[in-house]
Amino acid sequence: MQSANEPALDPGEAGALGASAAGRRWTRLKFQLRFLLAVLRARPMFALGYFIVLTIIILGVFAPLIAPYPPETANPEDFLQLPSGRHLLGTDATGMDIFTRIIYAPRIDLTIAIAGTVISAVVGSLIGALVGYYQEMRGIRAFFAGFVMRAADVLQAFPVFVFAIALVAIFGQSLQSIIAAIAFVNTPIYLRLMRSQVLAIRNMRYVEASYVSGASDVAIMLRHIIPNSLGPILSQLSVNIGWSVLLTAALSFVGAGVVAPTPEWGSMIAVGFQSIITGQWWPSVFPGIALAVTVFGFALVGASVEVLADPSRRRALGGTLRQKPSGAA
Amino acid sequence: MRVLRYVGKRLIFIVPQLFGIILVSFFLVKLIPGDPAVLMLGPFATEEQLEKLRAGMGLQGTVLDQFWIYLTNLVQGDLGTSWQTTQPVLLDLFQRFPATLELITLALLLALVIGIPLGVAAAYFKRSIIKKFSDYYGLLAGALPDFWLGLVLIFFFYTMLDWVPAPLGRLDIALIPPPTVTNFLLIDSVIAGDWQALWSALGRLILPVVTLGVINAGPILKMTQSTMERMLESDFIRYAETCGLPRSVVIRRALRNSLPSIVTIISVLYGFLIGGAVLVEIVFSWGGAGQYAVQGVLNADINPVLGFVLFSAIFSLVIYLIVDLIYFAIDPRIRS
């Protein structure tokens, strides 16, 4: 798998560090980096996913440096300008620069989506692990496990979108309450996922061995069950972030999410809605493309995590790499 | 006989399930701030008038009292009144639910027509361009916001080309709607023999149906493809192939065995779309059930929200029941 465009790692550098711990770490890191690059070369779509996600994050973080105009200042003289050299993607009905607002939007969209999803993943997985671990035992804890699952059934019977809007309406329209709503509607997904993982893992030989040798429930869970069930959770997490970006935009689109002058893709699409009938397509179309590309990127990253976190599939991928280093899969 | 016993068992469980859903949604919706009495009468109403109105709406006493009033009314078939439309919720829902159902049923049919053949082809021709295309299609369909796609379609086919009517509801405003029988416009206009109304309704259905159909074909495609791939690698298909059966027979056998999981994903999508189509409904001013519920949430109008949740829960439960019956029909292993 050696080829001309190897990562620029100087073997001498690693050698100079000798057999020290740092040196070993360096060699391992180098191996991992090389593996990652090989995977990305074999599956260019994965590379595209990482590229999209990184680009969006960088654009959001450095938006104040990149953006040519202030994001929330209306300029009525320049309303509904076509895309041009002066306004790269045109302006909306109030004269705000669309390119500027699009690159400011990830700040709010990604913050909400990532915060909401991570909270739901942590809470949902913890509850799911407990439920899965105790479900097949007897007594009060098994009863509670059953109760939690029935509660999740009822919560999932609600239409997601109406449920999310209701939650935002209850907590009041703020950033925190949108995050809370997204965390709430996503939690049952992780609860179920983790539970099914734990149910499969807890009957494994090594878990039994650890139980027989006297490890406590907490120790078994932290040492064996949770680390071994993380793969699918992480993969779901990435896909779910993309999906939560969509939900955030949808909430803002109906006016139950982020409020108008704040740059956010969904509310930008809603603002442009009026102009589209009269033929000005750019205020709605560009934010929609940004939104779709972001979700697409996170879905690809999720797909790559799914492969990389599964040891057998990772090995299979590594195997094909050794046979045909430049092969496109 | 087994089937009947099974259905009976399921029907017994429906009542507690519905009760749980009503219980949770009632207290959830009660948490939404805003007093409908104040919203209805305006800021200059006297306290006396407000009290009287609250009593009339079943809004006096503690939350538990109110829940009891709601339940007793519900048993008598009274879902309360919406203060926005000033109509009984039941009546409103009978108008709006068929609008949504008409839309999502046609959209799902379109999604099936796209998703299943593409999924089968992608699973069978593994190294072909079709496989690549369906991989991308699956990813893209999951990433496109449906409300945005609706807008783009409106721009191309209404604003630019003027091929379809304006996205303003289910029927041309100038037309007199056919006499109401089912509230499904297509069916009603056929019953009335009103071809002009049928034509107008069809024209207005095209864009929203395409929007929802194209996007929801994604999950159906993915499910068909992955199940078919598994089936095509299984022993009985290998056996059929070594026996020299023609390709069409092999594919038909594999598809027949993939049907249960395809039916499952369709039922999940059907239940989801009742509320999930709301954004497309808003874009096309459809006046559907989801839109009605969203308006209710945003305006502290409780009864429509509860009515919608109840209706969609019943709908989902009925769909799941039908799906279980379909399993009985297509999977001989369950029958025996």
Side-chain angles (χ1 to χ4, degrees), chain B:
Chain B
M1 221 49 250
R2 254 179 79 89
V3 180
L4 281 181
R5 209 166 56 210
Y6 179 77
V7 171
K9 218 158 77 182
R10 285 291 297 266
L11 285 176
I12 294 170
F13 274 108
I14 280 186
V15 176
Q17 264 172 322
L18 283 180
F19 179 76
I21 288 166
I22 296 171
L23 183 81
V24 174
S25 50
F26 187 85
F27 288 103
L28 189 78
V29 176
K30 268 289 163 201
L31 290 173
I32 297 176
D35 184 347
V38 176
L39 287 168
M40 271 175 91
L41 295 177
F44 301 113
T46 62
E47 192 54 38
E48 209 174 303
Q49 286 169 314
L50 288 177
E51 271 312 312
K52 206 171 147 224
L53 184 67
R54 284 192 195 117
M57 292 168 79
L59 290 177
Q60 81 280 41
T62 63
V63 183
L64 274 177
D65 291 338
Q66 295 178 22
F67 183 56
W68 181 245
I69 295 172
Y70 187 81
L71 271 188
T72 44
N73 285 340
L74 182 67
V75 174
Q76 294 158 16
D78 178 9
L79 289 171
T81 322
S82 155
W83 70 261
Q84 292 183 95
T85 62
T86 66
Q87 284 202 86
V89 168
L90 201 61
L91 200 67
D92 276 343
L93 281 175
F94 274 128
Q95 280 167 8
R96 285 154 219 252
F97 225 72
T100 299
L101 276 185
E102 198 168 58
L103 175 65
I104 64 175
T105 308
L106 290 176
L108 261 187
L109 285 178
L110 177 65
L112 287 180
V113 171
I114 301 173
I116 292 183
L118 207 55
V120 171
Y124 196 84
F125 306 104
K126 268 194 167 165
R127 304 224 170 273
S128 70
I129 188 100
I130 300 177
K131 156 94 169 138
K132 266 247 150 72
F133 174 77
S134 80
D135 281 351
Y136 287 115
Y137 187 99
L139 279 168
L140 263 178
L144 284 181
D146 50 4
F147 54 99
W148 177 77
L149 183 63
L151 282 178
V152 173
L153 290 177
I154 289 175
F155 175 72
F156 276 112
F157 295 103
Y158 170 67
T159 314
M160 297 279 289
L161 299 169
D162 205 14
W163 284 359
V164 293
L168 298 168
R170 301 163 70 194
L171 200 65
D172 199 326
I173 310 165
L175 284 179
I176 303 157
T180 303
V181 186
T182 58
N183 265 319
F184 291 89
L185 267 181
L186 295 185
I187 299 176
D188 281 1
S189 50
V190 169
I191 291 176
D194 187 346
W195 307 121
Q196 208 185 355
L198 181 69
W199 186 244
S200 166
L202 275 176
R204 276 145 201 275
L205 269 166
I206 292 175
L207 284 193
V209 163
V210 168
T211 307
L212 285 172
V214 163
I215 284 181
N216 289 290
I220 295 178
L221 165 68
K222 269 192 224 163
M223 181 59 101
T224 311
Q225 191 184 341
S226 65
T227 323
M228 275 297 277
E229 271 170 8
R230 224 171 341 109
M231 284 303 152
L232 288 173
E233 276 164 18
S234 66
D235 289 342
F236 72 93
I237 290 296
R238 290 245 170 85
Y239 176 68
E241 271 175 342
T242 24
C243 285
L245 289 178
R247 183 191 279 172
S248 62
V249 176
V250 173
I251 289 184
R252 210 179 316 141
R253 281 200 179 171
L255 186 60
R256 174 86 169 74
N257 282 281
S258 321
L259 274 185
S261 48
I262 299 175
V263 169
T264 308
I265 189 83
I266 294 170
S267 70
V268 170
L269 280 177
Y270 212 8
F272 162 77
L273 276 178
I274 284 280
V278 55
L279 292 162
V280 174
E281 287 178 0
I282 291 172
V283 168
F284 289 92
S285 314
W286 201 249
Q291 221 178 334
Y292 183 56
V294 167
Q295 282 306 319
V297 174
L298 294 178
N299 294 299
D301 199 359
I302 296 165
N303 291 332
V305 184
L306 289 175
F308 169 76
V309 170
L310 190 64
F311 260 57
S312 51
I314 292 173
F315 180 78
S316 300
L317 291 175
V318 170
I319 291 287
Y320 292 150
L321 191 63
I322 294 174
V323 165
D324 282 338
L325 293 180
I326 294 178
Y327 288 155
F328 267 104
I330 59 181
D331 193 343
R333 281 171 307 181
I334 309 178
R335 247 176 310 180
S336 58

Side-chain angles (χ1 to χ4, degrees), chain A residues 304-321:
Chain A
S304 82
V305 174
E306 197 185 337
V307 173
L308 293 179
D310 184 340
S312 58
R313 285 176 78 181
R314 187 167 58 193
R315 227 168 288 137
L317 192 61
T320 58
L321 294 176

